[in-house]
Short mmCIF file of all heavy atoms in Angstrom, two decimals:
data_model
loop_
_atom_site.label_atom_id
_atom_site.label_comp_id
_atom_site.label_asym_id
_atom_site.label_seq_id
_atom_site.Cartn_x
_atom_site.Cartn_y
_atom_site.Cartn_z
N SER V 348 11.28 17.60 -13.09
CA SER V 348 11.37 17.01 -11.77
C SER V 348 12.60 17.49 -11.03
O SER V 348 13.57 17.97 -11.62
CB SER V 348 11.35 15.49 -11.86
OG SER V 348 12.43 15.07 -12.64
N GLY V 349 12.54 17.37 -9.72
CA GLY V 349 13.65 17.81 -8.90
C GLY V 349 13.71 17.01 -7.62
O GLY V 349 12.69 16.53 -7.15
N SER V 350 14.92 16.87 -7.08
CA SER V 350 15.11 16.12 -5.85
C SER V 350 15.36 17.08 -4.70
O SER V 350 16.23 17.94 -4.76
CB SER V 350 16.32 15.19 -5.98
OG SER V 350 16.16 14.33 -7.09
N SER V 351 14.57 16.91 -3.64
CA SER V 351 14.71 17.83 -2.51
C SER V 351 15.77 17.36 -1.53
O SER V 351 16.22 18.13 -0.69
CB SER V 351 13.38 17.96 -1.77
OG SER V 351 13.09 16.75 -1.09
N GLY V 352 16.14 16.08 -1.62
CA GLY V 352 17.15 15.58 -0.70
C GLY V 352 16.76 15.76 0.75
O GLY V 352 17.61 16.03 1.58
N GLU V 353 15.45 15.61 1.03
CA GLU V 353 14.97 15.65 2.42
C GLU V 353 15.17 17.03 3.07
O GLU V 353 15.11 17.16 4.29
CB GLU V 353 15.69 14.56 3.22
CG GLU V 353 14.91 13.90 4.33
CD GLU V 353 13.72 13.09 3.84
OE1 GLU V 353 13.87 11.90 3.50
OE2 GLU V 353 12.64 13.66 3.84
N GLN V 354 15.42 18.07 2.26
CA GLN V 354 15.62 19.41 2.82
C GLN V 354 14.40 20.29 2.51
O GLN V 354 14.14 20.61 1.36
CB GLN V 354 16.85 20.08 2.22
CG GLN V 354 18.14 19.34 2.45
CD GLN V 354 19.24 19.82 1.52
OE1 GLN V 354 19.30 21.01 1.20
NE2 GLN V 354 20.08 18.92 1.06
N PRO V 355 13.70 20.71 3.55
CA PRO V 355 12.50 21.53 3.34
C PRO V 355 12.77 22.77 2.49
O PRO V 355 11.96 23.14 1.64
CB PRO V 355 12.09 21.93 4.76
CG PRO V 355 12.64 20.86 5.63
CD PRO V 355 13.92 20.40 4.98
N GLY V 356 13.91 23.40 2.68
CA GLY V 356 14.22 24.60 1.91
C GLY V 356 14.31 24.30 0.43
O GLY V 356 13.79 25.04 -0.42
N ARG V 357 14.94 23.19 0.12
CA ARG V 357 15.09 22.81 -1.27
C ARG V 357 13.74 22.46 -1.88
O ARG V 357 13.47 22.79 -3.03
CB ARG V 357 16.05 21.62 -1.34
CG ARG V 357 16.35 21.12 -2.70
CD ARG V 357 17.68 21.65 -3.20
NE ARG V 357 17.99 21.08 -4.50
CZ ARG V 357 18.95 20.19 -4.73
NH1 ARG V 357 19.71 19.78 -3.74
NH2 ARG V 357 19.15 19.74 -5.94
N GLU V 358 12.92 21.76 -1.10
CA GLU V 358 11.56 21.44 -1.56
C GLU V 358 10.84 22.72 -1.97
O GLU V 358 10.27 22.81 -3.05
CB GLU V 358 10.78 20.75 -0.43
CG GLU V 358 9.28 20.64 -0.69
CD GLU V 358 8.47 20.62 0.61
OE1 GLU V 358 8.89 19.95 1.57
OE2 GLU V 358 7.42 21.29 0.66
N ARG V 359 10.92 23.70 -1.10
CA ARG V 359 10.22 24.96 -1.35
C ARG V 359 10.76 25.66 -2.58
O ARG V 359 10.01 26.13 -3.43
CB ARG V 359 10.41 25.84 -0.11
CG ARG V 359 9.57 27.06 -0.12
CD ARG V 359 10.00 27.99 0.99
NE ARG V 359 9.88 29.33 0.44
CZ ARG V 359 9.41 30.37 1.11
NH1 ARG V 359 9.09 30.25 2.36
NH2 ARG V 359 9.30 31.53 0.53
N GLU V 360 12.08 25.71 -2.69
CA GLU V 360 12.68 26.35 -3.86
C GLU V 360 12.24 25.68 -5.15
O GLU V 360 11.93 26.34 -6.14
CB GLU V 360 14.21 26.27 -3.78
CG GLU V 360 14.84 27.40 -3.03
CD GLU V 360 16.32 27.12 -2.79
OE1 GLU V 360 16.95 26.49 -3.67
OE2 GLU V 360 16.83 27.49 -1.73
N LEU V 361 12.25 24.35 -5.13
CA LEU V 361 11.85 23.62 -6.34
C LEU V 361 10.40 23.93 -6.69
O LEU V 361 10.08 24.22 -7.85
CB LEU V 361 12.04 22.12 -6.13
CG LEU V 361 13.47 21.61 -6.22
CD1 LEU V 361 13.57 20.17 -5.71
CD2 LEU V 361 13.97 21.67 -7.66
N VAL V 362 9.54 23.85 -5.70
CA VAL V 362 8.12 24.11 -5.96
C VAL V 362 7.94 25.51 -6.55
O VAL V 362 7.25 25.69 -7.56
CB VAL V 362 7.29 23.97 -4.67
CG1 VAL V 362 5.91 24.55 -4.85
CG2 VAL V 362 7.20 22.50 -4.26
N LEU V 363 8.59 26.48 -5.93
CA LEU V 363 8.40 27.85 -6.42
C LEU V 363 9.02 28.03 -7.81
O LEU V 363 8.46 28.74 -8.64
CB LEU V 363 8.98 28.85 -5.41
CG LEU V 363 8.21 28.86 -4.07
CD1 LEU V 363 8.82 29.85 -3.09
CD2 LEU V 363 6.73 29.17 -4.28
N ALA V 364 10.14 27.37 -8.03
CA ALA V 364 10.75 27.47 -9.37
C ALA V 364 9.82 26.86 -10.42
O ALA V 364 9.67 27.40 -11.52
CB ALA V 364 12.10 26.76 -9.39
N PHE V 365 9.18 25.76 -10.07
CA PHE V 365 8.21 25.17 -11.01
C PHE V 365 7.05 26.14 -11.23
O PHE V 365 6.57 26.29 -12.35
CB PHE V 365 7.67 23.84 -10.47
CG PHE V 365 8.67 22.73 -10.49
CD1 PHE V 365 8.56 21.65 -9.63
CD2 PHE V 365 9.73 22.74 -11.39
CE1 PHE V 365 9.49 20.61 -9.65
CE2 PHE V 365 10.66 21.70 -11.42
CZ PHE V 365 10.53 20.64 -10.55
N CYS V 366 6.63 26.78 -10.16
CA CYS V 366 5.48 27.68 -10.28
C CYS V 366 5.79 28.89 -11.16
O CYS V 366 4.96 29.28 -11.97
CB CYS V 366 5.01 28.14 -8.90
SG CYS V 366 4.15 26.83 -8.00
N THR V 367 6.99 29.46 -11.01
CA THR V 367 7.29 30.61 -11.87
C THR V 367 7.39 30.17 -13.32
O THR V 367 7.18 30.96 -14.22
CB THR V 367 8.60 31.33 -11.50
OG1 THR V 367 9.68 30.43 -11.71
CG2 THR V 367 8.59 31.77 -10.05
N ARG V 368 7.70 28.90 -13.53
CA ARG V 368 7.71 28.41 -14.91
C ARG V 368 6.31 28.00 -15.34
O ARG V 368 6.13 27.41 -16.39
CB ARG V 368 8.70 27.26 -15.06
CG ARG V 368 10.15 27.74 -15.10
CD ARG V 368 11.10 26.58 -14.99
NE ARG V 368 12.50 27.00 -15.07
CZ ARG V 368 13.17 27.58 -14.10
NH1 ARG V 368 12.58 27.87 -12.96
NH2 ARG V 368 14.44 27.90 -14.26
N ARG V 369 5.36 28.26 -14.47
CA ARG V 369 3.95 28.07 -14.78
C ARG V 369 3.59 26.65 -15.19
O ARG V 369 2.89 26.44 -16.19
CB ARG V 369 3.53 29.03 -15.90
CG ARG V 369 3.52 30.49 -15.52
CD ARG V 369 2.48 30.78 -14.46
NE ARG V 369 2.34 32.22 -14.19
CZ ARG V 369 3.08 32.88 -13.29
NH1 ARG V 369 3.99 32.25 -12.58
NH2 ARG V 369 2.87 34.16 -13.07
N VAL V 370 4.07 25.67 -14.39
CA VAL V 370 3.61 24.30 -14.64
C VAL V 370 2.10 24.28 -14.44
O VAL V 370 1.54 25.07 -13.68
CB VAL V 370 4.27 23.29 -13.68
CG1 VAL V 370 5.74 23.14 -13.99
CG2 VAL V 370 4.06 23.68 -12.23
N ASP V 371 1.45 23.36 -15.14
CA ASP V 371 -0.01 23.28 -15.03
C ASP V 371 -0.44 22.65 -13.71
O ASP V 371 -1.55 22.88 -13.24
CB ASP V 371 -0.58 22.45 -16.18
CG ASP V 371 -0.40 23.15 -17.51
OD1 ASP V 371 -0.19 24.38 -17.51
OD2 ASP V 371 -0.44 22.48 -18.55
N GLY V 372 0.43 21.81 -13.14
CA GLY V 372 0.10 21.16 -11.88
C GLY V 372 1.35 20.61 -11.23
O GLY V 372 2.42 20.57 -11.86
N LEU V 373 1.22 20.20 -9.98
CA LEU V 373 2.38 19.78 -9.20
C LEU V 373 2.09 18.49 -8.45
O LEU V 373 1.01 18.33 -7.89
CB LEU V 373 2.71 20.84 -8.16
CG LEU V 373 3.64 21.97 -8.54
CD1 LEU V 373 3.64 23.01 -7.43
CD2 LEU V 373 5.04 21.44 -8.75
N ILE V 374 3.08 17.61 -8.40
CA ILE V 374 3.02 16.47 -7.49
C ILE V 374 4.20 16.61 -6.54
O ILE V 374 5.34 16.79 -6.99
CB ILE V 374 3.09 15.13 -8.25
CG1 ILE V 374 1.87 14.98 -9.15
CG2 ILE V 374 3.18 13.96 -7.27
CD1 ILE V 374 1.87 13.75 -10.00
N VAL V 375 3.92 16.55 -5.26
CA VAL V 375 4.97 16.83 -4.28
C VAL V 375 5.08 15.71 -3.25
O VAL V 375 4.08 15.32 -2.66
CB VAL V 375 4.67 18.15 -3.52
CG1 VAL V 375 5.75 18.43 -2.49
CG2 VAL V 375 4.54 19.32 -4.49
N VAL V 376 6.30 15.20 -3.09
CA VAL V 376 6.61 14.38 -1.92
C VAL V 376 7.31 15.32 -0.97
O VAL V 376 8.47 15.69 -1.19
CB VAL V 376 7.55 13.22 -2.28
CG1 VAL V 376 7.93 12.44 -1.02
CG2 VAL V 376 6.90 12.29 -3.30
N PRO V 377 6.63 15.78 0.06
CA PRO V 377 7.17 16.88 0.87
C PRO V 377 8.34 16.43 1.74
O PRO V 377 8.39 15.29 2.18
CB PRO V 377 5.98 17.29 1.74
CG PRO V 377 5.16 16.06 1.86
CD PRO V 377 5.32 15.31 0.56
N ALA V 378 9.26 17.35 1.94
CA ALA V 378 10.36 17.09 2.87
C ALA V 378 10.05 17.79 4.19
O ALA V 378 10.37 17.29 5.26
CB ALA V 378 11.67 17.60 2.29
N GLY V 379 9.42 18.94 4.11
CA GLY V 379 9.10 19.69 5.33
C GLY V 379 7.65 19.48 5.74
O GLY V 379 6.93 18.70 5.13
N ASP V 380 7.24 20.19 6.78
CA ASP V 380 5.83 20.05 7.16
C ASP V 380 5.14 21.40 7.26
O ASP V 380 4.07 21.52 7.83
CB ASP V 380 5.68 19.24 8.45
CG ASP V 380 6.63 19.71 9.51
OD1 ASP V 380 7.19 20.81 9.34
OD2 ASP V 380 6.81 18.99 10.51
N ASP V 381 5.76 22.42 6.68
CA ASP V 381 5.06 23.70 6.59
C ASP V 381 4.91 24.04 5.11
O ASP V 381 5.88 24.27 4.40
CB ASP V 381 5.86 24.80 7.30
CG ASP V 381 5.19 26.15 7.12
OD1 ASP V 381 4.02 26.17 6.69
OD2 ASP V 381 5.85 27.17 7.42
N HIS V 382 3.67 24.04 4.66
CA HIS V 382 3.45 24.29 3.24
C HIS V 382 2.61 25.53 2.99
O HIS V 382 1.92 25.64 1.99
CB HIS V 382 2.82 23.05 2.60
CG HIS V 382 3.66 21.84 2.76
ND1 HIS V 382 3.39 20.86 3.68
CD2 HIS V 382 4.82 21.49 2.18
CE1 HIS V 382 4.33 19.95 3.64
NE2 HIS V 382 5.22 20.30 2.74
N ALA V 383 2.69 26.45 3.94
CA ALA V 383 1.93 27.70 3.79
C ALA V 383 2.33 28.40 2.49
O ALA V 383 1.51 29.03 1.84
CB ALA V 383 2.18 28.60 4.99
N TYR V 384 3.59 28.23 2.09
CA TYR V 384 4.06 28.91 0.88
C TYR V 384 3.29 28.47 -0.36
O TYR V 384 3.35 29.12 -1.40
CB TYR V 384 5.56 28.67 0.69
CG TYR V 384 5.91 27.24 0.34
CD1 TYR V 384 5.94 26.82 -0.98
CD2 TYR V 384 6.21 26.31 1.33
CE1 TYR V 384 6.26 25.52 -1.31
CE2 TYR V 384 6.52 25.00 1.01
CZ TYR V 384 6.55 24.62 -0.30
OH TYR V 384 6.86 23.33 -0.63
N LEU V 385 2.58 27.34 -0.26
CA LEU V 385 1.85 26.84 -1.42
C LEU V 385 0.47 27.49 -1.55
O LEU V 385 -0.15 27.43 -2.61
CB LEU V 385 1.66 25.33 -1.30
CG LEU V 385 2.62 24.48 -2.10
CD1 LEU V 385 2.47 23.02 -1.72
CD2 LEU V 385 2.35 24.64 -3.60
N GLN V 386 0.00 28.09 -0.48
CA GLN V 386 -1.36 28.63 -0.48
C GLN V 386 -1.62 29.58 -1.66
O GLN V 386 -2.61 29.42 -2.37
CB GLN V 386 -1.64 29.30 0.87
CG GLN V 386 -3.11 29.49 1.18
CD GLN V 386 -3.87 28.15 1.22
OE1 GLN V 386 -3.44 27.22 1.89
NE2 GLN V 386 -4.96 28.05 0.47
N PRO V 387 -0.72 30.56 -1.88
CA PRO V 387 -0.99 31.48 -3.01
C PRO V 387 -1.09 30.75 -4.35
O PRO V 387 -1.96 31.08 -5.16
CB PRO V 387 0.24 32.39 -3.01
CG PRO V 387 0.87 32.25 -1.68
CD PRO V 387 0.48 30.92 -1.13
N GLU V 388 -0.27 29.74 -4.54
CA GLU V 388 -0.31 29.00 -5.81
C GLU V 388 -1.64 28.27 -5.94
O GLU V 388 -2.25 28.25 -7.01
CB GLU V 388 0.83 27.98 -5.87
CG GLU V 388 2.21 28.58 -5.64
CD GLU V 388 2.53 29.69 -6.62
OE1 GLU V 388 1.98 29.67 -7.73
OE2 GLU V 388 3.32 30.58 -6.26
N LEU V 389 -2.09 27.68 -4.85
CA LEU V 389 -3.37 26.99 -4.90
C LEU V 389 -4.48 27.97 -5.25
O LEU V 389 -5.38 27.65 -6.03
CB LEU V 389 -3.66 26.35 -3.53
CG LEU V 389 -2.83 25.11 -3.23
CD1 LEU V 389 -3.06 24.66 -1.79
CD2 LEU V 389 -3.21 23.98 -4.19
N GLU V 390 -4.37 29.17 -4.69
CA GLU V 390 -5.42 30.15 -4.95
C GLU V 390 -5.42 30.62 -6.39
O GLU V 390 -6.46 30.98 -6.92
CB GLU V 390 -5.28 31.34 -3.98
CG GLU V 390 -5.91 31.00 -2.63
CD GLU V 390 -5.37 31.86 -1.51
OE1 GLU V 390 -4.74 32.90 -1.79
OE2 GLU V 390 -5.58 31.49 -0.33
N THR V 391 -4.25 30.59 -7.03
CA THR V 391 -4.24 30.97 -8.45
C THR V 391 -4.74 29.81 -9.31
O THR V 391 -4.75 29.92 -10.53
CB THR V 391 -2.85 31.40 -8.93
OG1 THR V 391 -1.99 30.24 -8.91
CG2 THR V 391 -2.25 32.47 -8.06
N GLY V 392 -5.06 28.69 -8.68
CA GLY V 392 -5.68 27.62 -9.45
C GLY V 392 -4.75 26.53 -9.93
O GLY V 392 -5.14 25.69 -10.73
N THR V 393 -3.51 26.51 -9.44
CA THR V 393 -2.61 25.42 -9.80
C THR V 393 -2.91 24.21 -8.93
O THR V 393 -2.74 24.27 -7.71
CB THR V 393 -1.14 25.82 -9.56
OG1 THR V 393 -0.90 27.06 -10.19
CG2 THR V 393 -0.20 24.77 -10.11
N PRO V 394 -3.37 23.10 -9.52
CA PRO V 394 -3.66 21.95 -8.67
C PRO V 394 -2.39 21.28 -8.17
O PRO V 394 -1.37 21.26 -8.87
CB PRO V 394 -4.44 21.01 -9.59
CG PRO V 394 -4.09 21.42 -10.97
CD PRO V 394 -3.69 22.86 -10.92
N VAL V 395 -2.44 20.78 -6.95
CA VAL V 395 -1.30 20.13 -6.32
C VAL V 395 -1.77 18.81 -5.71
O VAL V 395 -2.85 18.75 -5.13
CB VAL V 395 -0.71 21.02 -5.21
CG1 VAL V 395 0.46 20.34 -4.53
CG2 VAL V 395 -0.27 22.36 -5.77
N VAL V 396 -0.96 17.78 -5.88
CA VAL V 396 -1.25 16.50 -5.23
C VAL V 396 -0.03 16.13 -4.39
O VAL V 396 1.10 16.23 -4.86
CB VAL V 396 -1.52 15.40 -6.28
CG1 VAL V 396 -1.66 14.05 -5.59
CG2 VAL V 396 -2.75 15.71 -7.09
N PHE V 397 -0.27 15.73 -3.15
CA PHE V 397 0.82 15.25 -2.30
C PHE V 397 0.89 13.73 -2.40
O PHE V 397 -0.14 13.07 -2.47
CB PHE V 397 0.62 15.69 -0.84
CG PHE V 397 1.17 17.06 -0.57
CD1 PHE V 397 0.67 18.16 -1.24
CD2 PHE V 397 2.21 17.24 0.33
CE1 PHE V 397 1.18 19.43 -1.01
CE2 PHE V 397 2.73 18.51 0.57
CZ PHE V 397 2.22 19.60 -0.10
N ALA V 398 2.12 13.21 -2.40
CA ALA V 398 2.28 11.77 -2.49
C ALA V 398 3.23 11.29 -1.41
O ALA V 398 4.17 11.99 -1.04
CB ALA V 398 2.81 11.38 -3.86
N ASP V 399 2.95 10.11 -0.90
CA ASP V 399 3.80 9.41 0.07
C ASP V 399 3.73 10.01 1.48
O ASP V 399 3.83 9.30 2.46
CB ASP V 399 5.26 9.39 -0.39
CG ASP V 399 6.08 8.37 0.40
OD1 ASP V 399 5.56 7.26 0.62
OD2 ASP V 399 7.21 8.69 0.81
N ARG V 400 3.56 11.33 1.56
CA ARG V 400 3.47 11.99 2.87
C ARG V 400 2.42 13.10 2.76
O ARG V 400 2.31 13.74 1.72
CB ARG V 400 4.81 12.61 3.24
CG ARG V 400 5.95 11.64 3.12
CD ARG V 400 7.26 12.35 3.34
NE ARG V 400 8.39 11.44 3.10
CZ ARG V 400 9.66 11.82 3.17
NH1 ARG V 400 9.96 13.07 3.46
NH2 ARG V 400 10.62 10.95 2.96
N PRO V 401 1.69 13.34 3.82
CA PRO V 401 0.63 14.35 3.76
C PRO V 401 1.20 15.76 3.88
O PRO V 401 2.34 15.93 4.33
CB PRO V 401 -0.23 14.01 4.97
CG PRO V 401 0.73 13.42 5.95
CD PRO V 401 1.78 12.71 5.14
N PRO V 402 0.42 16.76 3.49
CA PRO V 402 0.87 18.14 3.62
C PRO V 402 0.81 18.59 5.07
O PRO V 402 0.17 17.94 5.90
CB PRO V 402 -0.14 18.92 2.78
CG PRO V 402 -1.38 18.09 2.83
CD PRO V 402 -0.92 16.66 2.91
N GLY V 403 1.48 19.69 5.34
CA GLY V 403 1.42 20.27 6.67
C GLY V 403 0.02 20.76 6.99
O GLY V 403 -0.85 20.76 6.11
N PRO V 404 -0.21 21.18 8.24
CA PRO V 404 -1.55 21.58 8.67
C PRO V 404 -2.09 22.75 7.85
O PRO V 404 -1.34 23.62 7.42
CB PRO V 404 -1.34 21.98 10.13
CG PRO V 404 0.12 22.27 10.26
CD PRO V 404 0.80 21.38 9.29
N GLY V 405 -3.37 22.73 7.62
CA GLY V 405 -4.02 23.88 6.99
C GLY V 405 -4.05 23.84 5.48
O GLY V 405 -4.66 24.69 4.85
N LEU V 406 -3.41 22.84 4.89
CA LEU V 406 -3.40 22.79 3.43
C LEU V 406 -4.35 21.70 2.98
O LEU V 406 -4.23 20.54 3.38
CB LEU V 406 -1.99 22.50 2.94
CG LEU V 406 -1.69 23.03 1.54
CD1 LEU V 406 -1.60 24.55 1.59
CD2 LEU V 406 -0.41 22.45 1.01
N ASP V 407 -5.29 22.10 2.13
CA ASP V 407 -6.33 21.17 1.75
C ASP V 407 -6.10 20.69 0.32
O ASP V 407 -6.55 21.33 -0.63
CB ASP V 407 -7.68 21.89 1.86
CG ASP V 407 -8.82 20.98 1.45
OD1 ASP V 407 -8.77 19.79 1.76
OD2 ASP V 407 -9.74 21.49 0.78
#
Side-chain angles (χ1 to χ4, degrees):
Chain V
S348 60
S350 304
S351 70
E353 213 66 86
Q354 300 164 35
R357 182 99 177 250
E358 168 208 319
R359 190 190 142 140
E360 272 170 34
L361 283 168
V362 166
L363 294 179
F365 289 156
C366 287
T367 64
R368 284 170 178 75
R369 292 295 187 271
V370 291
D371 293 340
L373 271 171
I374 296 177
V375 179
V376 176
D380 47 14
D381 176 13
H382 302 103
Y384 68 88
L385 260 171
Q386 200 60 51
E388 305 303 333
L389 287 172
E390 278 158 15
T391 68
T393 309
V395 178
V396 174
F397 274 61
D399 195 43
R400 309 173 185 177
L406 206 71
D407 179 38

